[in-house]
Amino acid sequence: MSRIKSLIQLCFLLALTGTAWLLAAAPVAMQDQWLIPGIVLTMWLLMAMSITVLFRQPAQVNGEPEGWWHHTKAKMGRWLMQVLAWIVIGICLALVIISLQLAMNWFRYH
């Protein structure tokens, strides 16, 4: 997973740099043509990077009885990961909708 994570981080930094350059220094004609794909790519790479950071390691289940506090912390940790997973799913769905709308707008004018 570390290879994929570092590759995603590198791609994200490149996409972010390219998009920032488009916003700051690119000619207007180039901005009109490439800004929407740059923003969509940067958003998806940010989402992929967030997923690799948030869900890098599954919770370990230990078969040894260690007391009520250990079990409570484990249950709270699993609950928090489930909540985060649902939040990430919601953000992914919103990103799909935004990406489709931006792509339709981009294809309409190009």
Side-chain angles (χ1 to χ4, degrees), residues 3-4 6 61 80-81 88 102:
R3 290 182 193 155
I4 293 173
S6 59
V61 178
L80 179 63
M81 290 305 288
V88 167
L102 286 172

Side-chain angles (χ1 to χ4, degrees), residues 49-100:
M49 194 171 70
S50 300
I51 288 171
T52 59
V53 169
L54 282 175
F55 303 112
R56 65 178 172 254
Q57 181 177 348
Q60 300 293 326
V61 178
N62 195 354
E64 301 173 11
E66 296 189 22
W68 69 273
W69 181 245
H70 175 73
H71 292 291
T72 304
K73 281 189 347 185
K75 285 183 182 182
M76 287 174 50
R78 284 192 297 271
W79 178 80
L80 179 63
M81 290 305 288
Q82 288 177 352
V83 168
L84 282 174
W86 281 109
I87 290 171
V88 167
I89 289 170
I91 292 171
C92 280
L93 290 174
L95 191 54
V96 166
I97 293 168
I98 290 170
S99 297
L100 288 174

Side-chain angles (χ1 to χ4, degrees), residues 1 4 7 11 14-18 20 22 30 34 43 46 59 66 68 80 94 96 103 106 108-109:
M1 189 66 147
I4 293 173
L7 179 65
C11 291
L14 290 173
L16 185 63
T17 303
L22 279 171
M30 190 177 281
W34 295 109
M43 286 190 311
L46 178 63
E66 296 189 22
W68 69 273
L80 179 63
V96 166
W106 187 71
R108 184 178 312 140
Y109 294 108

